Amino acid sequence: MSEGFTGILAAAGDLPPESTQQAVGYPSLFLLVALGALVPVVPTGAIVSSAAVVAFHQSSPFALLYVFLVAAFAACLGDAALYWLGQRGIRSRNGSRWLASLRGRVTPERLAHAQERLDTHQVSVLVLSRLVPAGRIPVMLACLLSEMPLRRFVRGDVAACLAWAATYQLIGILGGSLFPEPWQGVVAAVGLTVLISAVPALWRRLRGRAAADEPSGQETSGQGTSGHGVSGQGTSGGGTSGRGTSGHEHP
Protein backbone atom coordinates (compact mmCIF):
# COMPACT_ATOMS: atom_id res chain seq x y z
CA MET A 1 0.00 0.00 0.00
CA SER A 2 2.84 2.38 0.82
CA GLU A 3 4.43 1.64 -2.56
CA GLY A 4 1.18 2.55 -4.32
CA PHE A 5 0.93 5.84 -2.41
CA THR A 6 4.56 6.62 -3.26
CA GLY A 7 3.82 5.91 -6.90
CA ILE A 8 0.89 8.38 -6.88
CA LEU A 9 3.09 11.11 -5.41
CA ALA A 10 5.81 10.40 -7.94
CA ALA A 11 3.28 10.61 -10.78
CA ALA A 12 1.99 13.91 -9.42
CA GLY A 13 5.52 15.26 -9.29
CA ASP A 14 6.25 14.33 -12.93
CA LEU A 15 5.32 17.42 -14.93
CA PRO A 16 5.23 17.65 -18.73
CA PRO A 17 8.05 19.47 -20.53
CA GLU A 18 8.33 23.21 -20.02
CA SER A 19 7.26 23.94 -23.59
CA THR A 20 4.01 22.03 -22.99
CA GLN A 21 3.50 23.73 -19.62
CA GLN A 22 3.84 27.16 -21.21
CA ALA A 23 1.67 26.35 -24.24
CA VAL A 24 -1.16 25.10 -22.01
CA GLY A 25 -0.52 26.99 -18.78
CA TYR A 26 -0.61 30.63 -19.90
CA PRO A 27 -3.89 30.42 -21.88
CA SER A 28 -5.45 28.39 -19.05
CA LEU A 29 -4.28 30.95 -16.50
CA PHE A 30 -5.76 33.79 -18.56
CA LEU A 31 -9.12 32.09 -19.04
CA LEU A 32 -9.49 31.00 -15.41
CA VAL A 33 -8.57 34.40 -13.96
CA ALA A 34 -10.83 36.27 -16.40
CA LEU A 35 -13.66 33.85 -15.66
CA GLY A 36 -13.08 34.23 -11.94
CA ALA A 37 -13.40 38.00 -12.28
CA LEU A 38 -16.76 37.61 -14.04
CA VAL A 39 -18.04 34.81 -11.81
CA PRO A 40 -16.72 35.44 -8.27
CA VAL A 41 -16.64 31.74 -7.37
CA VAL A 42 -13.42 30.60 -9.04
CA PRO A 43 -10.48 30.88 -6.56
CA THR A 44 -8.32 33.06 -8.77
CA GLY A 45 -5.77 33.80 -6.05
CA ALA A 46 -5.01 30.11 -5.61
CA ILE A 47 -4.72 29.72 -9.39
CA VAL A 48 -2.15 32.52 -9.66
CA SER A 49 -0.16 31.15 -6.71
CA SER A 50 -0.15 27.66 -8.23
CA ALA A 51 1.00 29.01 -11.60
CA ALA A 52 3.78 30.93 -9.83
CA VAL A 53 4.96 27.75 -8.11
CA VAL A 54 5.25 25.95 -11.44
CA ALA A 55 6.97 28.95 -13.04
CA PHE A 56 9.42 29.15 -10.12
CA HIS A 57 10.69 25.65 -10.90
CA GLN A 58 11.10 26.33 -14.61
CA SER A 59 14.41 27.23 -16.19
CA SER A 60 13.02 30.16 -18.18
CA PRO A 61 14.05 33.47 -16.55
CA PHE A 62 10.85 35.13 -17.77
CA ALA A 63 8.36 32.50 -16.57
CA LEU A 64 7.41 34.40 -13.42
CA LEU A 65 7.14 37.65 -15.35
CA TYR A 66 4.76 36.04 -17.83
CA VAL A 67 2.60 34.67 -15.02
CA PHE A 68 2.45 38.11 -13.44
CA LEU A 69 1.52 39.91 -16.68
CA VAL A 70 -1.05 37.32 -17.79
CA ALA A 71 -2.74 37.24 -14.37
CA ALA A 72 -2.88 41.02 -14.01
CA PHE A 73 -4.18 41.56 -17.56
CA ALA A 74 -6.83 38.84 -17.24
CA ALA A 75 -8.02 40.21 -13.89
CA CYS A 76 -8.26 43.76 -15.23
CA LEU A 77 -10.08 42.64 -18.36
CA GLY A 78 -12.54 40.56 -16.32
CA ASP A 79 -13.18 43.44 -13.91
CA ALA A 80 -13.78 45.84 -16.79
CA ALA A 81 -16.21 43.41 -18.44
CA LEU A 82 -18.12 42.88 -15.19
CA TYR A 83 -18.26 46.63 -14.54
CA TRP A 84 -19.56 47.26 -18.07
CA LEU A 85 -22.27 44.65 -17.58
CA GLY A 86 -23.17 46.26 -14.26
CA GLN A 87 -23.42 49.66 -15.93
CA ARG A 88 -25.92 48.24 -18.40
CA GLY A 89 -28.01 47.07 -15.46
CA ILE A 90 -27.83 50.49 -13.79
CA ARG A 91 -28.99 52.27 -16.95
CA SER A 92 -31.84 49.90 -17.82
CA ARG A 93 -35.21 50.02 -16.10
CA ASN A 94 -35.34 46.33 -15.29
CA GLY A 95 -31.69 46.02 -14.34
CA SER A 96 -29.71 42.93 -15.34
CA ARG A 97 -28.85 39.58 -13.88
CA TRP A 98 -25.24 40.69 -13.46
CA LEU A 99 -26.27 43.67 -11.35
CA ALA A 100 -28.70 41.52 -9.38
CA SER A 101 -25.91 39.03 -8.76
CA LEU A 102 -23.64 41.79 -7.45
CA ARG A 103 -26.36 43.12 -5.16
CA GLY A 104 -27.06 39.65 -3.83
CA ARG A 105 -23.46 39.19 -2.73
CA VAL A 106 -23.25 42.41 -0.70
CA THR A 107 -24.98 43.21 2.57
CA PRO A 108 -26.33 46.76 3.06
CA GLU A 109 -23.82 47.39 5.84
CA ARG A 110 -20.82 46.44 3.70
CA LEU A 111 -22.15 48.47 0.78
CA ALA A 112 -22.60 51.56 2.95
CA HIS A 113 -19.08 51.14 4.34
CA ALA A 114 -17.64 50.80 0.82
CA GLN A 115 -19.52 53.90 -0.38
CA GLU A 116 -18.21 55.90 2.57
CA ARG A 117 -14.61 54.91 1.88
CA LEU A 118 -15.02 55.47 -1.84
CA ASP A 119 -16.03 59.10 -1.30
CA THR A 120 -12.69 59.92 0.32
CA HIS A 121 -10.13 57.49 -1.14
CA GLN A 122 -11.11 56.22 -4.59
CA VAL A 123 -7.91 54.70 -5.99
CA SER A 124 -6.63 53.32 -2.69
CA VAL A 125 -10.02 51.73 -2.00
CA LEU A 126 -9.94 49.99 -5.38
CA VAL A 127 -6.46 48.64 -4.68
CA LEU A 128 -7.38 47.38 -1.22
CA SER A 129 -10.61 45.85 -2.50
CA ARG A 130 -8.58 43.53 -4.71
CA LEU A 131 -6.21 42.56 -1.90
CA VAL A 132 -8.85 41.96 0.77
CA PRO A 133 -10.76 38.69 0.24
CA ALA A 134 -14.41 39.31 -0.70
CA GLY A 135 -13.73 43.04 -0.85
CA ARG A 136 -13.84 43.52 -4.62
CA ILE A 137 -17.60 43.17 -5.18
CA PRO A 138 -18.78 45.70 -2.52
CA VAL A 139 -16.42 48.37 -3.85
CA MET A 140 -17.35 47.63 -7.46
CA LEU A 141 -21.04 47.92 -6.61
CA ALA A 142 -20.38 51.19 -4.79
CA CYS A 143 -18.62 52.50 -7.91
CA LEU A 144 -21.59 51.47 -10.04
CA LEU A 145 -24.11 53.17 -7.76
CA SER A 146 -22.02 56.34 -7.72
CA GLU A 147 -22.04 56.24 -11.55
CA MET A 148 -18.27 56.24 -11.86
CA PRO A 149 -17.31 56.18 -15.57
CA LEU A 150 -15.80 52.97 -16.90
CA ARG A 151 -12.60 54.74 -17.93
CA ARG A 152 -11.99 56.07 -14.42
CA PHE A 153 -12.76 52.68 -12.89
CA VAL A 154 -10.29 50.95 -15.21
CA ARG A 155 -7.55 53.45 -14.35
CA GLY A 156 -7.87 52.61 -10.67
CA ASP A 157 -8.39 48.93 -11.32
CA VAL A 158 -5.10 48.60 -13.23
CA ALA A 159 -3.12 49.39 -10.08
CA ALA A 160 -5.38 47.09 -8.08
CA CYS A 161 -4.85 44.14 -10.44
CA LEU A 162 -1.07 44.68 -10.54
CA ALA A 163 -0.90 44.68 -6.74
CA TRP A 164 -3.20 41.64 -6.55
CA ALA A 165 -1.17 39.61 -9.05
CA ALA A 166 2.09 40.51 -7.32
CA THR A 167 0.74 39.52 -3.89
CA TYR A 168 -0.50 36.08 -4.90
CA GLN A 169 2.58 35.47 -7.03
CA LEU A 170 4.75 36.12 -3.98
CA ILE A 171 2.71 33.51 -2.11
CA GLY A 172 3.45 31.05 -4.90
CA ILE A 173 7.15 31.92 -4.91
CA LEU A 174 7.25 31.35 -1.17
CA GLY A 175 5.61 27.94 -1.57
CA GLY A 176 7.92 27.03 -4.43
CA SER A 177 11.05 28.01 -2.52
CA LEU A 178 10.17 25.99 0.58
CA PHE A 179 9.61 22.65 -1.17
CA PRO A 180 11.74 20.81 -3.73
CA GLU A 181 8.81 19.42 -5.73
CA PRO A 182 6.37 21.69 -7.59
CA TRP A 183 3.28 19.79 -6.42
CA GLN A 184 4.32 20.29 -2.80
CA GLY A 185 4.61 24.03 -3.35
CA VAL A 186 1.22 24.09 -5.09
CA VAL A 187 -0.42 22.38 -2.11
CA ALA A 188 1.22 24.83 0.30
CA ALA A 189 0.27 27.86 -1.80
CA VAL A 190 -3.33 26.75 -2.20
CA GLY A 191 -3.63 26.05 1.53
CA LEU A 192 -2.23 29.50 2.36
CA THR A 193 -4.57 31.31 -0.03
CA VAL A 194 -7.56 29.41 1.34
CA LEU A 195 -6.52 30.37 4.87
CA ILE A 196 -6.13 34.03 3.87
CA SER A 197 -9.59 34.07 2.29
CA ALA A 198 -11.21 32.36 5.29
CA VAL A 199 -9.86 34.70 7.97
CA PRO A 200 -11.91 37.82 7.01
CA ALA A 201 -15.13 35.80 6.78
CA LEU A 202 -14.48 34.33 10.23
CA TRP A 203 -13.71 37.79 11.62
CA ARG A 204 -16.95 39.23 10.22
CA ARG A 205 -18.90 36.34 11.73
CA LEU A 206 -17.37 36.91 15.15
CA ARG A 207 -18.07 40.65 14.93
CA GLY A 208 -21.65 39.92 13.91
CA ARG A 209 -22.18 37.75 16.95
CA ALA A 210 -20.66 40.38 19.22
CA ALA A 211 -22.86 43.08 17.70
CA ALA A 212 -25.94 40.88 18.13
CA ASP A 213 -25.21 40.36 21.82
CA GLU A 214 -24.41 44.03 22.57
CA PRO A 215 -27.87 45.64 22.12
CA SER A 216 -29.50 43.20 24.53
CA GLY A 217 -27.15 44.30 27.28
CA GLN A 218 -27.73 47.96 26.54
CA GLU A 219 -31.48 47.47 26.51
CA THR A 220 -31.42 45.82 29.92
CA SER A 221 -29.30 48.64 31.31
CA GLY A 222 -31.65 51.24 29.84
CA GLN A 223 -34.69 49.59 31.36
CA GLY A 224 -33.08 49.63 34.77
CA THR A 225 -32.27 53.31 34.50
CA SER A 226 -35.75 54.14 33.24
CA GLY A 227 -37.26 52.32 36.19
CA HIS A 228 -35.14 54.34 38.56
CA GLY A 229 -36.35 57.56 36.92
CA VAL A 230 -40.01 56.55 37.33
CA SER A 231 -39.54 55.79 41.00
CA GLY A 232 -37.90 59.16 41.43
CA GLN A 233 -40.95 60.93 40.08
CA GLY A 234 -42.84 60.16 43.31
CA THR A 235 -40.73 62.67 45.27
CA SER A 236 -40.67 66.41 44.85
CA GLY A 237 -38.16 67.33 42.15
CA GLY A 238 -37.15 63.68 41.84
CA GLY A 239 -38.83 63.26 38.45
CA THR A 240 -36.54 65.83 36.89
CA SER A 241 -33.49 64.12 38.37
CA GLY A 242 -34.59 60.72 37.11
CA ARG A 243 -35.12 62.00 33.56
CA GLY A 244 -31.71 63.66 33.55
CA THR A 245 -30.03 60.40 34.54
CA SER A 246 -31.85 58.54 31.73
CA GLY A 247 -30.68 61.08 29.17
CA HIS A 248 -27.10 60.70 30.33
CA GLU A 249 -27.12 56.92 29.92
CA HIS A 250 -28.50 57.06 26.36
CA PRO A 251 -27.08 60.10 24.57
Side-chain angles (χ1 to χ4, degrees):
M1 182 176 180
S2 60
E3 293 179 357
F5 183 70
T6 305
I8 293 175
L9 294 182
D14 293 337
L15 295 176
E18 289 188 10
S19 58
T20 305
Q21 296 178 27
Q22 295 172 0
V24 176
Y26 295 137
S28 301
L29 175 64
F30 176 84
L31 291 176
L32 289 174
V33 172
L35 179 64
L38 284 171
V39 184
V41 177
V42 180
T44 52
I47 293 172
V48 174
S49 298
S50 301
V53 171
V54 177
F56 179 82
H57 288 277
Q58 292 181 351
S59 59
S60 174
F62 301 106
L64 287 172
L65 177 62
Y66 292 154
V67 169
F68 170 73
L69 294 177
V70 169
F73 178 68
C76 187
L77 185 63
D79 285 352
L82 183 60
Y83 194 81
W84 178 76
L85 291 171
Q87 278 186 324
R88 292 187 61 186
I90 291 290
R91 293 167 183 170
S92 65
R93 293 182 178 180
N94 299 326
S96 67
R97 65 186 185 91
W98 294 100
L99 182 61
S101 177
L102 293 177
R103 288 182 180 274
R105 293 179 178 274
V106 181
T107 61
E109 294 78 10
R110 296 185 63 192
L111 177 60
H113 184 56
Q115 289 175 324
E116 181 181 354
R117 291 183 301 166
L118 187 66
D119 292 338
T120 54
H121 308 285
Q122 290 189 353
V123 177
S124 61
V125 169
L126 283 173
V127 174
L128 291 176
S129 69
R130 258 289 179 180
L131 297 179
V132 176
R136 180 175 68 102
I137 298 302
V139 173
M140 181 179 291
L141 184 57
C143 293
L144 286 170
L145 296 178
S146 65
E147 298 183 354
M148 178 183 293
L150 176 61
R151 184 177 301 178
R152 186 186 303 174
F153 173 80
V154 171
R155 283 202 301 264
D157 193 59
V158 167
C161 292
L162 291 174
W164 171 82
T167 300
Y168 282 97
Q169 187 172 22
L170 287 176
I171 294 175
I173 294 174
L174 177 62
S177 62
L178 292 177
F179 300 95
E181 296 294 334
W183 68 267
Q184 296 173 334
V186 169
V187 172
V190 170
L192 185 57
T193 53
V194 170
L195 179 62
I196 291 175
S197 61
V199 167
L202 180 61
W203 173 250
R204 286 194 297 267
R205 182 176 299 179
L206 293 176
R207 288 187 60 186
R209 290 180 179 177
D213 295 340
E214 185 178 354
S216 61
Q218 290 180 351
E219 184 179 355
T220 304
S221 175
Q223 290 175 353
T225 306
S226 176
H228 177 72
V230 171
S231 63
Q233 289 176 359
T235 61
S236 60
T240 305
S241 175
R243 288 191 297 270
T245 305
S246 176
H248 178 73
E249 292 292 338
H250 301 277

